Amino acid sequence: MLDKALAGPRRRRFLNISTGECVRMDLPVVAEHTLLALTPEGLLLLLHEPTLVVRLLNPLTYQLTDLPPVTGLLRLEEHRARSCGIELGQVLKVYSTGLVADGAAIAVHFGCPRVLAVAKPGDESWTPVEVDDTYMNSALPFAGRFYCASYRGVMVLSLSSDQRPPRLLMVAERCKSFFFCIVTDSLHLVDNGGELMLIHRTLYCENYQDQEEDDSGNDQDQEEFEENDDAECMREYEVYRVDLDAGILTPVKSLNGRAIFMGISRTISISADAFPSVTPNTINLGYECDREIRGYNIADGSVEPLHYSSLGPDCAVDCLRYCIQSVGTDFA
């Protein structure tokens, strides 16, 4: 889903990232819910405020699937906000979500409250995932499984059938030269045409004293840091192929002729053949990721300065760069 169409509050635009086809549809049910997130499969994750039930909507078939209410995941802060008349949909934040276990369940990485949880239709409540003290920087469904990235490496969500609670298992540890600072850096998993990749976004700032590598920071720290106009920052982008067989991260200088659109919470890969205005092997950055450059070519390290084009050959690029930002109501 791209954004709201101009025809009214219930109308949305959808883009087929394989073919470039764009369609507009009326979705009355969206007006009755709060949009929490979009899944890579094209589904909409919604919150029904009166009951706190989470629902999945297929925008093409209008099928609506009920999931458990989020009540059991809420902290005291969320309960207090709701008791003060604040809608929970304005407080909840979802970083990523997607189908797992051959579509029988869904995993949701909540940012507020900070928890990874799993549920399937018919469950009475969400099941939190056992997570150690590692802070997850990115999560993505890929090939029927749910992967998470932290400065330690890439993990996969394990759903056992022996009544064991769901947990995260390491599948590709980071290399020793992989330095990560929780305040200035970010990680972004992406399905690059059937290949799992990890992008490491690094910020180097003159007025920032290096922080020891740990996972004690939070999103607010990073947002406040990036909004600090006094810091002169340079950004670098390194791309790794997640080799699940070997359990390693391999640096790459090609996206196999594809292009990536990257926001802080969402990253997608598209075929350059379907979008002639897109430059292959380029990371096109959402405005929240970089305010100075439009694209970064991983093959040669060249950058394209930020500029605002009118409707024309580049409008698809600018539209995707804008729409890759944020989630939920901030996104659409």
Side-chain angles (χ1 to χ4, degrees):
M1 187 171 74
L2 292 177
D3 54 17
K4 293 180 180 178
L6 300 177
R10 305 187 309 179
R11 197 163 180 82
R12 299 292 192 274
R13 292 194 304 159
F14 292 85
L15 178 71
N16 186 321
I17 60 174
S18 298
T19 66
E21 179 185 7
C22 188
V23 298
R24 292 169 173 81
M25 300 187 65
D26 280 315
L27 297 175
V29 69
V30 173
E32 303 167 2
H33 295 76
T34 299
L35 174 63
L36 295 178
L38 311 174
T39 77
E41 299 90 358
L43 306 177
L44 279 61
L45 189 72
L46 308 173
L47 175 70
H48 186 243
E49 192 72 38
T51 62
L52 299 187
V53 167
V54 177
R55 289 170 171 162
L56 271 179
L57 173 68
N58 185 324
L60 301 182
T61 65
Y62 296 102
Q63 180 181 356
L64 197 62
T65 302
D66 282 357
L67 296 165
V70 295
T71 313
L73 300 177
L74 301 182
R75 305 167 302 175
L76 182 59
E77 295 91 325
E78 285 84 43
H79 284 293
R80 285 176 176 172
R82 197 161 188 256
S83 65
C84 293
I86 301 175
E87 290 189 353
L88 188 61
Q90 306 304 317
V91 179
L92 283 181
K93 180 183 291 185
V94 174
Y95 288 152
S96 58
T97 182
L99 302 179
V100 294
D102 296 326
I106 185 169
V108 181
H109 178 205
F110 290 92
C112 181
R114 182 169 292 176
V115 63
L116 174 62
V118 181
K120 61 181 182 295
D123 285 351
E124 295 183 359
S125 61
W126 290 84
T127 302
V129 177
E130 287 186 355
V131 181
D132 58 16
D133 60 351
T134 301
Y135 170 68
M136 291 182 296
N137 203 250
S138 177
L140 178 79
F142 174 78
R145 308 189 75 182
F146 199 76
Y147 292 87
C148 302
S150 75
Y151 75 92
R152 299 179 189 273
V154 178
M155 298 163 285
V156 66
L157 176 62
S158 174
L159 300 175
S160 302
S161 58
D162 55 3
Q163 304 303 315
R164 295 184 61 184
R167 63 195 188 280
L168 292 176
L169 303 177
M170 185 67 67
V171 293
E173 291 191 78
R174 61 131 189 207
C175 56
K176 293 182 178 180
S177 61
F178 192 115
F179 179 82
F180 182 84
C181 177
I182 191 67
V183 178
T184 60
D185 296 10
S186 62
L187 299 172
H188 308 261
L189 287 168
V190 61
D191 180 353
N192 189 58
E195 189 173 48
L196 184 62
M197 289 188 170
L198 178 70
I199 302 173
H200 179 198
R201 171 177 172 265
T202 305
L203 278 72
Y204 298 99
C205 298
E206 294 180 357
N207 296 341
Y208 179 72
Q209 184 176 0
D210 288 341
Q211 172 177 310
E212 289 296 326
E213 175 185 287
D214 60 37
D215 61 350
S216 61
N218 56 47
D219 303 315
Q220 185 176 359
D221 292 336
Q222 188 177 62
E223 291 171 2
E224 290 177 353
F225 174 76
E226 294 190 24
E227 290 175 358
N228 182 6
D229 294 333
D230 295 330
E232 295 294 333
C233 299
M234 295 185 298
R235 297 164 178 81
E236 290 187 359
Y237 302 88
E238 297 178 338
V239 182
Y240 298 85
R241 184 177 68 254
V242 183
D243 190 332
L244 297 173
D245 294 327
I248 59 174
L249 302 175
T250 304
V252 296
K253 292 295 183 180
S254 171
L255 298 175
N256 300 325
R258 299 177 66 87
I260 286 176
F261 285 80
M262 190 176 87
I264 292 297
S265 301
R266 301 175 61 241
T267 304
I268 63 172
S269 169
I270 67 173
S271 168
D273 294 334
F275 297 87
S277 60
V278 172
T279 303
N281 301 316
T282 296
I283 301 174
N284 298 277
L285 300 160
Y287 298 104
E288 58 184 354
C289 273
D290 200 311
R291 300 169 185 172
E292 297 179 359
I293 71 170
R294 183 188 191 193
Y296 176 86
N297 192 306
I298 72 167
D300 57 18
S302 61
V303 299
E304 182 180 354
L306 179 64
H307 62 82
Y308 296 90
S309 63
S310 58
L311 292 178
D314 295 330
C315 66
V317 177
D318 288 336
C319 182
L320 284 170
R321 288 184 64 245
Y322 175 79
C323 294
I324 202 64
Q325 307 180 92
S326 306
V327 291
T329 53
D330 292 335
F331 163 73

